């Protein structure tokens, strides 16, 4: 386990102090880079490779600082051997610079190319050694007894007299490669210390820009490129909320870049999506009864069928939990076995009762998060879920980090995105024929709100169950400390008439 690996949010970083004698040449006293992984064992492996690369850079800087400083214009040509040696030095500098120019995952994507480059480099060196031996034999003949002369002749061939050396490199912060959008996002995150969910949204905006516009240095990004990014996202069918969030996050990063004197104007200023923002309910309508019955008549619920992409029991339970809790899909995917437990309360007569509850929490230690502070809450487990065996299943996962431990995170550390993409495209739309093409997993959340209204559950209690807030003092009280008795009563009255669930 590397001592230089640190975690912020769900992402791991490699962080290391720069040796005192190299701080001026390196341009800063500490080096930090994203490792592109949310898994500790993988991050440790990547950190070891980053450490080797950083040591090479330190060695290169020391060699350059300890050598005499000769102007480049005074560099004589020492023939093909010297020119090939210069090529090799340039390759070494390119490999070292790659540590700062590209994130680690991009470097590994180019690993084969780097290996081929190093192989050509080694082949040229071997050829130079052979040429030097041949030259020595031509000049001295038999070398027996002439070792000192051989060394002198070899040194003259390898290092010509008064060979020039490069000047000490400029600090890395002045190099164009250190003005990448990735670097800007990491600096912003370090200074602002946002919540992990917000940090992930900013990194996602950066990745979207790279995917559509390429890796352009921040000072060279134009307003035309931001407009082109907006148009490309809209043409691709990205939701209006996501497009707005991407533009807003990029605008924030460019404002930060102005404060660091990277740029003078914000290229995202004035770039907005055309038309008004659609209400979430319009964009993602609730499920109607016909669609719900088709979902729960699928062979996942009738034949004990578990598709591989559905990640085991997650395919069975997550839609049911969405329907009977109104929770967000990421909140459900992050559930640990300890989040399902019994809690005591007193009924109308003052008698002590117990109820199974599902607790949704914010825990940096366990990698669990909710949308905001009032989304921390507990939801009584509905009797239909208990009848179908959810409590028994959840408690059987004790000792595992997640109830649905077969789920896989995406590169941003989000646990629901890969599963949601499968469920919406391959299950819901391909096999369940939803009434509206706009229906997604989030439609369960709107369905829950509608059923609460039909069952006479007050808005205050429905908001406490769903983690909603209207911004006033009472709603900000949140569901974490909301009395349990009215929540239990509300879930007891929650019923979807005409719904056919598996037996």
């Amino acid at each position: 386990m590397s001592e230089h690996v640190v975690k912020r949010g769900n992402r791991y970083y490699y962080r290391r102090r720069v040796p005192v004698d190299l701080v001026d040449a390196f341009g800063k006293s500490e080096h930090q880079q994203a490792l592109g992984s949310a898994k500790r064992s993988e991050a440790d492996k990547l950190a070891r490779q980053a450490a080797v690369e950083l040591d090479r850079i330190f060695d290169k800087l020391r060699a350059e600082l300890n050598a005499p400083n000769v102007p480049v214009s005074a560099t004589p040509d020492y023939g093909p051997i010297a020119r090939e040696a210069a090529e090799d030095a340039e390759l070494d500098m390119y490999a070292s610079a790659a540590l700062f120019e590209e994130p680690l995952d991009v470097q590994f994507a180019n690993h084969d190319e780097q290996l081929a480059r190093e192989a050509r480099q080694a082949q040229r060196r071997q050829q130079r050694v052979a040429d030097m031996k041949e030259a020595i034999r031509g000049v001295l003949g038999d070398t027996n007894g002439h070792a000192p002369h051989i060394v002198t002749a070899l040194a003259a061939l390898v290092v010509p007299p008064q060979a020039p050396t490069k000047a000490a490199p400029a600090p890395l912060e002045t190099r164009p490669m250190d003005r990448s959008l990735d670097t800007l996002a990491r600096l912003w995150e370090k200074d602002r210390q946002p919540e992990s969910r917000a940090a992930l949204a900013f990194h996602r905006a950066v990745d979207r820009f790279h995917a559509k516009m390429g890796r352009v240095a921040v000072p060279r990004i134009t307003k035309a490129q931001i407009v082109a990014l907006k148009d490309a996202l809209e043409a691709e069918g990205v939701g209006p909320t996501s497009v707005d969030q991407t533009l807003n996050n990029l605008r924030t990063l460019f404002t930060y870049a102005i404060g660091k004197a990277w740029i003078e104007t914000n290229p995202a200023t004035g770039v907005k999506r055309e038309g008004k923002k659609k209400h979430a309910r319009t964009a993602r309508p609730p499920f109607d009864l016909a669609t719900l019955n088709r979902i729960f008549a699928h062979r996942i619920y009738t034949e004990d069928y578990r598709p591989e992409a559905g990640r085991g029991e997650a395919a069975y339970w997550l839609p049911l939990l969405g329907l009977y809790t109104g929770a967000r899909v990421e909140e459900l995917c992050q559930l640990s076995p300890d989040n399902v437990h019994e809690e005591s309360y007193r009924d109308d007569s003052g008698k002590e009762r117990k109820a199974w509850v599902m607790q949704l929490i914010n825990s940096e230690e366990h990698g669990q998060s909710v949308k905001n502070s009032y989304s921390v809450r507990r939801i009584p487990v509905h009797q239909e879920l208990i009848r179908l065996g959810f409590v028994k299943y959840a408690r059987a996962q004790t000792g595992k980090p997640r109830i649905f431990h077969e789920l896989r995170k995406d590169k941003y550390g989000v646990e629901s995105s890969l599963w949601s993409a499968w469920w919406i495209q391959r299950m819901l739309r391909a096999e369940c024929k939803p009434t509206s093409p706009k229906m997604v997993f989030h439609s369960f959340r709107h369905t829950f709100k509608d059923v609460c209204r039909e069952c006479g559950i007050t808005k205050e209690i429905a908001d406490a169950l769903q983690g909603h807030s209207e911004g006033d003092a009472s709603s900000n009280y949140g569901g974490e400390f909301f009395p349990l008795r009215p929540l239990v009563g509300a879930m007891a009255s929650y019923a979807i008439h005409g719904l056919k669930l598996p037996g």
Side-chain angles (χ1 to χ4, degrees):
M1 184 175 294
S2 174
E3 61 179 340
H4 299 296
V5 175
V6 296
K7 185 178 183 182
R8 290 207 307 273
N10 290 329
R11 298 163 67 90
Y12 283 98
Y13 293 81
Y14 179 75
R15 184 178 179 184
R16 181 172 164 189
R17 287 192 176 278
V18 176
V20 176
D21 60 318
L22 298 179
V23 169
D24 290 338
F26 196 79
K28 49 189 173 183
S29 61
E30 183 181 83
H31 168 69
Q32 183 171 280
Q33 71 183 79
L35 293 175
S37 175
K39 187 176 181 181
R40 180 60 195 245
S41 59
E42 183 180 357
D44 286 334
K45 179 179 178 181
L46 298 175
R48 289 192 292 271
Q49 299 179 17
V52 171
E53 201 65 40
L54 193 58
D55 286 337
R56 289 179 58 188
I57 293 178
F58 290 161
D59 292 342
K60 180 69 66 176
L61 288 176
R62 282 199 179 93
E64 293 171 343
L65 289 173
N66 293 332
N69 189 358
V70 178
V72 177
S73 59
T75 303
D77 189 351
Y78 290 98
I81 293 178
R83 286 197 295 272
E84 288 180 1
E87 280 185 17
D88 288 341
E90 184 178 356
L91 281 172
D92 287 340
M93 287 299 292
Y94 174 86
S96 298
L99 178 64
F100 300 95
E101 186 174 16
E102 296 179 326
L104 210 56
D105 55 346
V106 177
Q107 293 178 45
F108 295 148
N110 297 330
H111 186 56
D112 291 341
E113 181 182 346
Q114 176 67 16
L115 289 177
R117 241 188 342 260
E118 292 176 355
R120 292 194 297 269
Q121 185 182 31
Q123 187 176 8
R124 285 206 303 272
R125 286 173 178 163
Q126 291 175 357
Q127 185 61 46
R128 286 204 304 276
V129 171
D131 292 343
M132 284 186 280
K133 288 181 179 179
E134 185 64 29
I136 292 169
R137 283 195 292 270
V139 173
L140 299 178
D142 186 7
T143 61
N144 291 332
H146 299 286
H149 303 289
I150 294 173
V151 172
T152 302
L154 184 59
L157 286 169
V158 177
V159 184
Q162 299 179 348
T165 58
K166 296 181 181 179
L172 289 179
E173 289 188 358
T174 66
R175 296 180 181 178
M177 60 186 168
D178 203 38
R179 295 293 189 265
S180 69
L181 201 51
D182 277 327
T183 300
L184 181 65
R186 289 195 294 269
L187 291 173
W188 173 86
E189 184 179 357
K190 180 180 179 181
D191 287 350
R192 299 292 188 266
Q193 294 292 314
E195 293 183 359
S196 58
R197 180 183 291 270
L200 290 173
F202 275 80
H203 288 291
R204 187 179 293 113
V206 169
D207 287 349
R208 279 177 170 169
F209 181 90
H210 287 161
K212 303 299 180 185
M213 300 294 112
R215 292 185 171 271
V216 185
V218 172
R220 302 186 64 175
I221 295 176
T222 65
K223 177 171 287 191
Q225 290 173 323
I226 303 300
V227 173
L229 170 65
K230 173 187 70 71
D231 293 343
L233 293 176
E234 290 183 314
E236 198 176 77
V238 176
T241 301
S242 294
V243 174
D244 290 341
Q245 185 183 53
T246 298
L247 294 175
N248 290 336
N249 290 347
L250 289 176
R251 194 175 297 112
T252 299
L253 289 178
F254 293 137
T255 299
Y256 177 76
I258 292 174
K260 294 187 70 66
W262 284 24
I263 55 178
E264 295 183 359
T265 59
N266 191 324
T269 298
V271 181
K272 297 180 180 180
R273 183 179 51 81
E274 297 298 331
K276 295 182 179 180
K277 179 179 177 179
K278 295 181 179 179
H279 191 276
R281 183 182 175 88
T282 305
R284 293 172 286 197
F287 288 118
D288 58 358
L289 183 61
T291 301
L292 287 175
N293 278 326
R294 283 194 290 270
I295 290 173
F296 296 111
H298 189 273
R299 54 184 175 148
I300 287 176
Y301 297 97
T302 61
E303 301 177 12
D304 201 26
Y305 169 67
R306 300 292 183 269
E308 182 178 352
R311 296 297 176 183
E313 293 301 309
Y316 180 93
W317 286 115
L318 285 176
L320 285 168
L321 291 174
L323 179 63
Y324 282 101
T325 67
R328 302 171 181 92
V329 64
E330 181 69 6
E331 294 172 334
L332 297 173
C333 290
Q334 291 180 359
L335 283 171
S336 71
D338 291 341
N339 295 145
V340 178
H341 59 266
E342 275 191 304
E343 192 170 320
S344 298
Y345 70 99
R346 294 193 178 275
D347 62 16
D348 294 341
S349 63
K351 185 176 181 180
E352 186 174 343
R353 303 280 188 180
K354 287 188 176 181
W356 284 100
V357 299
M358 179 188 306
Q359 196 165 23
L360 303 177
I361 64 174
N362 236 337
S363 172
E364 191 78 16
E365 179 183 358
H366 297 99
Q368 293 173 291
S369 62
V370 291
K371 186 174 182 179
N372 41 50
S373 59
Y374 39 81
S375 292
V376 176
R377 63 197 188 277
R378 63 209 194 292
I379 308 169
V381 179
H382 196 278
Q383 282 300 314
E384 286 291 349
L385 294 176
I386 295 175
R387 177 183 69 81
L388 292 170
F390 173 69
V391 170
K392 182 179 179 181
Y393 171 73
R395 301 307 298 164
Q397 311 311 310
T398 299
K400 297 173 182 175
R402 295 285 186 265
I403 292 177
F404 306 110
H405 49 85
E406 294 185 41
L407 295 174
R408 296 294 178 266
K409 299 179 182 179
D410 66 10
K411 65 178 181 178
Y412 302 105
V414 179
E415 300 185 39
S416 62
S417 63
L418 300 178
W419 184 90
S420 294
W422 164 78
W423 190 82
I424 294 169
Q425 298 295 335
R426 304 298 180 189
M427 223 287 270
L428 175 66
R429 293 178 182 168
E431 300 189 37
C432 298
K433 300 179 181 179
T435 306
S436 168
K438 295 181 180 180
M439 289 177 174
V440 294
F441 191 93
H442 200 79
S443 297
F444 283 122
R445 191 162 167 82
H446 297 301
T447 302
F448 184 90
K449 179 71 75 175
D450 282 353
V451 174
C452 284
R453 292 186 181 114
E454 291 177 358
C455 295
I457 299 171
T458 67
K459 182 180 183 303
E460 182 184 18
I461 293 178
D463 286 347
L465 291 168
Q466 290 195 277
H468 275 157
S469 171
E470 296 300 326
D472 56 21
S474 61
S475 61
N476 281 335
Y477 181 65
E480 183 177 8
F481 304 108
F482 202 95
L484 185 57
R485 183 177 60 174
L487 300 180
V488 172
M491 293 306 290
S493 65
Y494 182 95
I496 306 168
H497 301 291
L499 177 64
K500 299 175 182 178
L501 289 177

